[in-house]
Amino acid sequence: PSMRECISRRHFSLNWGRLKNLSQNPILVDGKHVLRNCETVLHSNSKIAFARSGGEGQGLQNMVTFGVRVPLDVIHTGFVHSAYVLDADYSLECVESTGVEIAAIGPQNRQFSVDAQPLLVGRDRQRHVFEALTADASTRVFVSRSHCILAKGKLTNLSQSPIIVDKVHIKHGQRISLRVDSEITMPLGHIFRDGVPQDRLVFRVRPGRKLQEILGY
């Protein structure tokens, strides 16, 4: 029973990868004290310790320690899971386009941000991006005017053309969850080899500022 005294009825809260101390008792996260009503960022493998004060001059005694563990299928570098990413606060960055030198294109013309509002993606929606990323109009027409929609961490295909997300073919009307570093491939032609379009645009999901802090970018 004396050990349980160091754990309050409402000891701390967890929200968006952060721990907030709600207790008068001390909490240590990765060896650092978190005072009452203060927050700290968690990472994969962070250590959360509850401790009972040993009295003046005696420091902290009787540690109870928990480790943060994130399943491998939802882990990236640091602490994140798919629900997180993906409500908002991320961007799509083009990392490959057939016939185009991506490194020569400025960031404003090869990526776009996703916030809390649903985002329609297509050649008429982000005209400057798709004009910069496609070699000519004959390949650009394979990107529909409204190609897909991004909302609440999910991609829905609005086009008759398939969209490939992490090697999974998404047909018209189908939806798939995204994660940090998901690859979204848009075909720029009819020729496929082993399920991969010969001509293609490839975007990668990048974390926004809040996620970068948690991921340690």
Side-chain angles (χ1 to χ4, degrees):
S2 61
M3 283 293 293
R4 289 199 294 270
E5 292 174 1
C6 70
I7 303 176
S8 303
R9 290 182 175 86
R10 297 178 66 251
H11 203 78
F12 62 90
S13 64
L14 296 171
N15 186 35
W16 284 81
R18 293 176 175 269
L19 178 148
K20 181 177 182 179
N21 187 359
L22 306 176
S23 172
Q24 296 284 3
N25 294 326
I27 297 177
L28 280 75
V29 175
D30 299 326
K32 297 181 179 179
H33 285 255
V34 182
L35 302 178
R36 188 181 188 190
N37 293 326
C38 292
E39 293 186 352
T40 189
V41 173
L42 299 176
H43 301 275
S44 182
N45 297 320
S46 281
K47 297 293 189 296
I48 303 170
F50 312 141
R52 187 167 57 122
S53 175
E56 186 177 355
Q58 296 183 40
L60 299 177
Q61 299 177 350
N62 300 326
M63 294 281 193
V64 179
T65 303
F66 291 86
V68 174
R69 296 289 183 267
V70 183
L72 290 177
D73 61 336
V74 293
I75 196 170
H76 184 63
T77 304
F79 174 53
V80 67
H81 63 77
S82 57
Y84 218 104
V85 173
L86 298 181
D87 195 22
D89 190 37
Y90 65 99
S91 64
L92 298 189
E93 179 185 3
C94 185
V95 294
E96 180 185 349
S97 180
T98 302
V100 174
E101 186 179 351
I102 296 298
I105 299 175
Q108 71 278 8
N109 287 325
R110 67 170 186 265
Q111 64 185 26
F112 43 87
S113 298
V114 183
D115 57 23
Q117 300 301 314
L119 178 69
L120 275 169
V121 176
R123 71 173 190 265
D124 279 357
R125 304 290 176 169
Q126 294 83 23
R127 185 182 298 273
H128 67 289
V129 173
F130 287 103
E131 287 181 352
L133 293 177
T134 49
D136 52 53
S138 65
T139 56
R140 196 176 309 129
V141 295
F142 286 92
V143 179
S144 301
R145 291 181 174 88
S146 294
H147 201 75
C148 64
I149 187 168
L150 303 171
K152 295 188 178 298
K154 298 180 185 293
L155 178 149
T156 302
N157 188 358
L158 304 178
S159 172
Q160 296 299 326
S161 300
I163 298 175
I164 304 166
V165 178
D166 297 328
K167 300 182 180 180
V168 177
H169 285 240
I170 309 302
K171 298 178 181 179
H172 176 77
Q174 292 182 331
R175 181 183 299 172
I176 190 171
S177 294
L178 302 175
R179 59 179 176 79
V180 170
D181 279 350
S182 279
E183 286 198 348
I184 301 167
T185 300
M186 300 179 181
L188 296 178
H190 294 300
I191 301 174
F192 283 69
R193 294 179 179 174
D194 297 324
V196 179
Q198 177 176 289
D199 299 318
R200 57 191 177 268
L201 266 174
V202 182
F203 290 90
R204 186 166 292 152
V205 175
R206 302 295 194 195
R209 288 185 179 180
K210 183 179 291 186
L211 284 173
Q212 287 178 17
E213 179 183 0
I214 292 169
L215 293 169
Y217 273 66

